[in-house]
Amino acid sequence: MSRREVVPINENWCFRQANSEELRFLPVAQFPTNVHLDLIHNKIIPDPFIGKNENDVQWVGEKAWIYRTTFALPHLNGRKAVLAFDGLDTYATVRLNGHQILETENMFIPERVDVTKSLKSQGDNVLEITFDSTFLIGKKIVEKHPDHLWGCFNGDPSRLAVRKAQYHYVNSHPMFCWRYAVDKYFFQGWDWGPTLLSCGPWRPIWLELYNSCILDLYFTTEVEKSLESAEIVAKADVDGSGDEVQFEILLEGKSVGKTTAKVFNGVATTTFEVEQPELWFPASYGKQPLYVLQAALISRHVECDSVSKRFGLRRAEVIQRTLDDGLGTTFFFEINNVPIFCGGCNWIPADSFIPRISPQKYRDWVKLVFSGNQVMVRVWGGGIYEGKAFYDSCDEMGILVWQDFLFACGNYPAHNEFLASVEREAIANVKLLRHHPSIVIWAGNNEDYQYREDMVLDYDPDDKDPQRWLNTNFPARYIYEKLLVDVTKELVPGTYYHFGSPFGGKNTRDPTVGDIHQWNVWHGTQEKYQNFDLLAGRFVSEFGMEGFPSINTIDDYLPNGREDSDRYPQSSTIDFHNKAIGHERRIALYLVENLRYKFEPIEQFVYCTQLMQAECLASAYRLWKRQWKGPGKEHCAGALVWQINDCWPVTSWAIVDYHLRPKLAYYVIKRELSSVTIGMKRTAKTTFDDRYTHAHFKTVHKIEIWASNLSLRACTVAVDLKAWDIITGKETFFTTLHSAFTLPPNRSIEITELDVPVSKNGTDEELRTVVAAYLVENRQQVARCVNWPEPLKYAHLQRPKHLSVKLSSGSAMVQISSEIPVKGVALECSDDAVVWADNCIDVVPGEAVEVGVEGLGCTDEEKIGVRYLGL
């Protein structure tokens, strides 16, 4: 009996538009692929990421397309032949040698087809796949179900009818489809992405030949509360006549346990007990050891197949218990009995054209998350179940994953065909992902409950009958509270399932229970970002602020680069590359409230938007982390910024743009998520002499100071405080507040509140005073925070005469110093190979700030550019 043979069907592919025999087949750009990549490759359409080309390619999504290849059949020798399709986008009809073998309607379901009798043993086999227009089919499904209340926040409502990546879709509502006469039409997909309705074989296709094989290798793990032992129940599903399965667990190549189990009714099962297991921890909390489970299928004493999977041993729980003050309940993740403050980000697909996201690009993105001191990434529900390399990288680097099921911002149907497809999708993808230790939560959807609230759809929390939910105008409740509950309970019983995000108490905006999406900065009531502490929730799984991408990214998408006539901030092309409704007013609002800025040169305007974004997001992390105060006081246990990445070159909420170029916000978040930080907030309180006067009053300016220690050890630090005059640069104050102040582990602690240090109160001296606080441990500075009078637009910032930026330590370090306080010093270099360890630095006199750098030589100092506020 021979071993299973796996042959990739990845060569000789060609494609053409369907319904037109006159059109010849053309070669594909790559494989896996999609139709837009292939049309670009053959110069039939322009690159939709350049200029306004997106408008010119909308016809592609309304056509049908045919993909074809040929392949020779290896000798069967009595073996079974299976064609495995890892992903077909979306409505596909598959023919082999002229015979239909498969029809699909769900982009996210891998398919397997027995083709033993359909293959030709002599000559080439012809595999042909026709992809119909998902957009047009979705429209017809909507017409077929007129009683359903079709509606959504983003995209055309017909997207709800089909199981395709939702972020691909256009918004067909008239108010979103036009903008200015100059553009005629402005295609509005999601509020950060283009409308590019692609199709094609987006994941690999394989031919498998075997007598017997392991269809799936899976397991459950349970780590004892004591952490001293773990149980692993391993199973292998077998197709064919296998007799037994040899299971073995290895760690770093060494065997931890080995056993053999008989195959009974197509399943082999065994149990391992591991004493003193090596535990998997999130980044910065410990190591990430990965065990390997190997399974070898034996038939008639011959090994005919083998499969292996990596896994980690950890306890992962979501803790929801009453807080000491009784204000709601906690919502925090506890890994191996350690409560984790989850500072992190939201993730969208890293490209509108998914097949070109390589394993290395996935790894580069996750490395940015890791290097930014982030500990959690949320895979958003409007995208895809990401590629294997994404989750593998999270496993290796210790990044916790919040995984949404793929429903977003709408009222989904729940007719029988849709439910059957969703159930298959959920089962298939939970099975694919369940071995990853990084995945610690599954959530039913993104903002569908919020949409229900806004549209006042039916929802009775006291009604516990799932069948009745199907008869309401919010039938998808059945999916989130019944179907997905059943799937996760059966397949990942040890992983927490959350009905949706956000989801919690009285409603989705209740800050005291569950998670919230805090969009009252930017959207909603458009609050000042300095007041993020008043906008906290138990776990803030979305919040954000827009900032322009790198000027290099803008030059990349302008048709004529640096010479383009639209190379100015308010141009129609740059406006086109911002899909957020009302973005002009909102960026302007937060800029004009906070900074003095100018439109020219465009480089300085880009800098100002990035500084504003950085200041906003730093405020959120700093103020919310302050509310992580230890057992019984976990008032805020997580902050996930919207978003880490982009799917095309665009102005958005991303903190790293499409080309992996970090914005300034990336660095300030990295600092705020360091293990030990110090924070400050400036307040002003005015009191009147009595209730009968507005003329006689006193205003007191104070600074609140606290520290956060996310490490698992207590540390003793000195707390130093200094102040300078913004205009003269003169040091006006210095004191050591504490020479030995203890920071307890894994929490924040208040240090003091004091008046802004000035020589004379009531003279507005506070408005020209910059204050810096430092934590010093064993004579080494471990944390630093510089606090400025706000809004910064009122500050009389001076241009430094002696701003020094010098390479040191053999070109591995840049040293920055100035004779006056300088806000937001940004180091720049046009070479993407140059990587900064930090950026957007507040510089104060008498101090040289060192920033690590890679990619510069000893003589490359002239390559370093500098910007700052007030330049």
Side-chain angles (χ1 to χ4, degrees):
M1 182 176 289
S2 58
R3 288 184 60 85
R4 179 170 66 121
E5 184 179 357
V6 179
V7 181
I9 308 298
N10 59 1
E11 297 180 350
N12 306 319
W13 282 96
C14 54
F15 81 109
R16 69 170 174 84
Q17 188 177 325
N19 307 320
S20 180
E21 295 296 332
E22 298 177 0
L23 295 174
R24 64 187 178 90
F25 279 93
L26 298 170
V28 299
Q30 60 179 74
F31 199 86
T33 189
N34 70 25
V35 68
H36 283 85
L37 291 175
D38 298 330
L39 291 170
I40 294 168
H41 176 70
N42 286 279
K43 297 182 170 49
I44 295 172
I45 63 171
D47 185 342
F49 286 9
I50 303 300
K52 302 172 189 174
N53 290 342
E54 175 196 350
N55 287 345
D56 299 327
V57 303
Q58 293 306 310
W59 62 272
V60 175
E62 298 180 14
K63 303 295 182 182
W65 300 89
I66 299 175
Y67 279 80
R68 176 183 289 175
T69 190
T70 59
F71 62 93
L73 176 66
H75 292 296
L76 276 179
N77 295 328
R79 293 176 294 177
K80 182 177 183 178
V82 171
L83 273 175
F85 303 87
D86 287 358
L88 300 176
D89 179 9
T90 296
Y91 284 88
T93 301
V94 184
R95 292 179 175 84
L96 180 62
N97 298 323
H99 302 289
Q100 181 176 316
I101 61 170
L102 175 67
E103 280 189 310
T104 71
E105 80 293 326
N106 190 316
M107 174 179 177
F108 309 116
I109 298 178
E111 301 282 2
R112 295 175 61 84
V113 183
D114 184 343
V115 294
T116 310
K117 296 179 180 179
S118 302
L119 290 167
K120 295 191 300 184
S121 58
Q122 301 294 324
D124 284 338
N125 289 273
V126 180
L127 180 63
E128 185 174 279
I129 310 172
T130 301
F131 293 92
D132 290 314
S133 169
T134 302
F135 178 72
L136 298 181
I137 290 174
K139 289 288 192 182
K140 293 175 182 176
I141 294 174
V142 170
E143 292 173 354
K144 185 179 176 182
H145 297 274
D147 294 335
H148 180 67
L149 294 181
W150 300 95
C152 54
F153 286 150
N154 297 81
D156 188 278
S158 67
R159 70 173 173 82
L160 306 170
V162 296
R163 297 309 296 148
K164 176 177 176 58
Q166 302 286 271
Y167 79 106
H168 288 169
Y169 263 78
V170 67
N171 194 328
S172 64
H173 193 287
M175 72 175 290
F176 295 141
C177 276
W178 65 272
R179 207 137 174 209
Y180 305 115
V182 67
D183 278 334
K184 187 178 179 182
Y185 292 104
F186 181 89
F187 288 96
Q188 175 66 38
W190 232 271
D191 48 9
W192 36 258
T195 296
L196 294 167
L197 280 160
S198 206
C199 67
W202 71 290
R203 280 187 167 163
I205 299 174
W206 314 88
L207 176 64
E208 298 182 14
L209 306 170
Y210 59 86
N211 297 110
S212 299
C213 79
I214 297 174
L215 289 174
D216 192 16
L217 174 64
Y218 55 105
F219 42 85
T220 58
T221 64
E222 184 174 353
V223 177
E224 291 295 319
K225 181 70 174 175
S226 67
L227 308 181
E228 293 180 357
S229 64
E231 180 184 79
I232 301 131
V233 178
K235 297 184 179 183
D237 290 346
V238 174
D239 183 19
S241 58
D243 300 321
E244 60 186 26
V245 174
Q246 294 177 349
F247 293 94
E248 185 174 15
I249 293 179
L250 301 100
L251 180 63
E252 297 180 346
K254 297 180 180 179
S255 182
V256 174
K258 189 173 183 179
T259 187
T260 299
K262 295 290 185 183
V263 177
F264 181 72
N265 290 336
V267 181
T269 304
T270 193
T271 300
F272 292 92
E273 300 288 341
V274 178
E275 298 300 321
Q276 302 300 320
E278 296 285 330
L279 297 177
W280 185 96
F281 278 91
S284 80
Y285 288 89
K287 297 180 180 180
Q288 293 78 45
L290 293 172
Y291 290 82
V292 176
L293 175 62
Q294 293 181 343
L297 177 62
I298 309 300
S299 182
R300 300 175 186 172
H301 308 291
V302 175
E303 182 179 308
C304 54
D305 194 15
S306 61
V307 177
S308 66
K309 285 186 178 178
R310 297 191 308 176
F311 68 98
L313 291 174
R314 86 288 186 270
R315 285 180 63 86
E317 299 176 86
V318 175
I319 306 299
Q320 299 178 81
R321 63 189 178 211
T322 303
L323 288 154
D324 286 353
D325 60 14
L327 295 176
T329 55
T330 63
F331 190 98
F332 67 87
F333 291 82
E334 190 173 84
I335 310 297
N336 301 329
N337 302 335
V338 177
I340 308 294
F341 180 87
C342 289
C345 58
N346 283 265
W347 169 273
I348 65 171
D351 205 306
S352 291
F353 304 136
I354 301 163
R356 68 179 175 192
I357 311 174
S358 67
Q360 185 58 51
K361 192 167 187 180
Y362 269 128
R363 186 168 182 83
D364 291 343
W365 272 114
V366 177
K367 183 68 181 297
L368 278 167
V369 175
F370 170 81
S371 298
N373 292 327
Q374 299 179 37
V375 75
M376 175 174 274
V377 59
R378 173 176 172 249
V379 179
W380 167 73
I384 62 173
Y385 304 100
E386 294 294 341
K388 179 178 181 294
F390 173 84
Y391 300 100
D392 283 348
S393 298
C394 290
D395 291 346
E396 293 163 11
M397 299 184 206
I399 305 299
L400 301 175
V401 175
W402 174 311
Q403 178 68 53
D404 281 0
F405 284 99
L406 302 185
F407 305 89
C409 302
N411 185 28
Y412 285 84
H415 52 267
N416 289 338
E417 298 92 338
F418 191 82
L419 290 178
S421 183
V422 166
E423 184 172 28
R424 286 190 66 217
E425 170 193 325
I427 290 171
N429 285 281
V430 172
K431 283 183 174 181
L432 282 172
L433 300 178
R434 58 185 166 182
H435 63 286
H436 290 286
S438 52
I439 300 177
V440 293
I441 182 173
W442 288 82
N445 64 80
N446 173 80
E447 295 185 357
D448 289 1
Y449 285 99
Q450 207 160 63
Y451 180 84
R452 180 207 67 77
E453 290 170 1
D454 289 358
M455 299 297 112
V456 198
L457 301 178
D458 298 337
Y459 191 84
D460 180 1
D462 295 325
D463 183 358
K464 305 301 182 184
D465 183 354
Q467 292 303 314
R468 280 203 294 264
W469 304 341
L470 293 170
N471 297 320
T472 69
N473 58 16
F474 182 54
R477 180 184 181 185
Y478 182 92
I479 297 173
Y480 315 137
E481 299 184 29
K482 170 61 176 168
L483 190 156
L484 296 178
V485 170
D486 292 345
V487 169
T488 54
K489 184 179 293 184
E490 178 182 352
L491 299 179
V492 282
T495 303
Y496 180 75
Y497 172 74
H498 197 44
F499 287 164
S501 179
F503 192 88
K506 296 174 291 185
N507 54 55
T508 59
R509 295 168 175 85
D510 185 344
T512 66
V513 180
D515 70 312
I516 63 169
H517 292 181
Q518 184 47 271
W519 282 109
N520 282 320
V521 170
W522 181 270
H523 289 302
T525 54
Q526 298 182 350
E527 302 290 335
K528 296 180 184 297
Y529 60 68
Q530 290 84 353
N531 297 330
F532 259 129
D533 50 347
L534 305 178
L535 304 173
R538 295 295 172 256
F539 195 105
V540 185
S541 46
E542 280 190 23
F543 68 101
M545 174 59 67
E546 280 204 350
F548 270 51
S550 162
I551 189 62
N552 293 339
T553 296
I554 294 173
D555 290 341
D556 286 343
Y557 73 65
L558 289 172
N560 294 311
R562 292 181 60 84
E563 305 306 316
D564 200 286
S565 60
D566 263 7
R567 195 179 186 265
Y568 63 94
Q570 294 171 297
S571 74
S572 65
T573 304
I574 288 180
D575 228 19
F576 188 88
H577 283 254
N578 188 334
K579 299 299 190 179
I581 296 299
H583 68 84
E584 305 95 334
R585 285 170 287 145
R586 291 170 186 178
I587 289 178
L589 168 68
Y590 283 100
L591 279 174
V592 79
E593 277 190 346
N594 291 284
L595 306 179
R596 281 186 280 174
Y597 65 96
K598 52 188 177 182
F599 289 108
E600 295 180 353
I602 186 175
E603 289 85 354
Q604 188 67 12
F605 180 79
V606 167
Y607 163 82
C608 286
T609 69
Q610 289 198 14
L611 177 64
M612 181 264 293
Q613 180 191 38
E615 289 289 292
C616 170
L617 301 181
S619 174
Y621 281 101
R622 187 182 306 129
L623 293 169
W624 290 340
K625 194 169 65 166
R626 183 184 188 182
Q627 299 184 27
W628 174 255
K629 293 193 172 183
K633 300 176 182 177
E634 303 95 342
H635 290 92
C636 183
L640 307 181
V641 69
W642 185 270
Q643 62 221 57
I644 180 69
N645 62 328
D646 279 323
C647 66
W648 78 311
V650 64
T651 298
S652 77
W653 297 272
I655 61 172
V656 181
D657 73 27
Y658 172 74
H659 293 292
L660 287 91
R661 294 165 177 153
K663 301 179 188 179
L664 298 180
Y666 172 82
Y667 300 101
V668 300
I669 291 171
K670 177 180 179 178
R671 290 201 296 271
E672 292 300 333
L673 291 178
S674 298
S675 293
V676 177
T677 58
I678 187 165
M680 289 189 283
K681 180 176 180 177
R682 197 175 292 216
T683 63
K685 184 177 182 182
T686 299
T687 56
F688 296 91
D689 288 0
D690 57 54
R691 59 179 176 164
Y692 301 106
T693 182
H694 277 176
H696 303 285
F697 62 89
K698 178 182 180 182
T699 299
V700 176
H701 297 264
K702 289 186 172 291
I703 288 185
E704 301 166 356
I705 307 175
W706 66 94
S708 300
N709 178 13
L710 296 185
S711 76
L712 302 183
R713 67 173 185 90
C715 53
T716 301
V717 296
V719 185
D720 293 336
L721 197 69
K722 292 184 179 182
W724 296 265
D725 186 289
I726 283 180
I727 297 174
T728 67
K730 178 184 177 182
E731 184 176 312
T732 58
F733 181 82
F734 171 76
T735 188
T736 296
L737 295 174
H738 297 277
S739 59
F741 189 85
T742 299
L743 306 181
N746 204 9
R747 72 194 67 183
S748 297
I749 184 171
E750 301 297 310
I751 295 176
T752 191
E753 180 184 37
L754 46 75
D755 291 349
V756 174
V758 294
S759 58
K760 186 177 181 180
N761 292 321
T763 61
D764 286 342
E765 192 179 333
E766 295 91 347
L767 303 182
R768 56 185 284 175
T769 299
V770 175
V771 181
Y774 306 86
L775 299 181
V776 179
E777 184 181 28
N778 298 325
R779 298 185 179 180
Q780 294 291 319
Q781 179 182 299
V782 294
R784 172 184 186 267
C785 181
V786 181
N787 180 272
W788 301 72
E790 292 191 86
L792 288 164
K793 65 181 180 180
Y794 292 159
H796 293 279
L797 300 172
Q798 304 297 299
R799 287 195 177 189
K801 296 178 181 178
H802 305 290
L803 179 58
S804 173
V805 178
K806 294 183 178 180
L807 278 171
S808 63
S809 302
S811 78
M813 202 74 67
V814 173
Q815 228 177 43
I816 312 169
S817 62
S818 173
E819 85 285 4
I820 61 170
V822 185
K823 177 65 187 176
V825 174
L827 303 173
E828 299 178 345
C829 184
S830 60
D831 185 352
D832 286 340
V834 174
V835 178
W836 309 108
D838 200 359
N839 217 329
C840 197
I841 311 293
D842 292 343
V843 179
V844 291
E847 182 179 348
V849 178
E850 292 188 331
V851 175
V853 61
E854 297 177 9
L856 286 176
C858 297
T859 60
D860 287 343
E861 199 167 283
E862 72 280 357
K863 292 184 178 180
I864 303 173
V866 179
R867 291 193 183 277
Y868 53 87
L869 187 60
L871 180 65

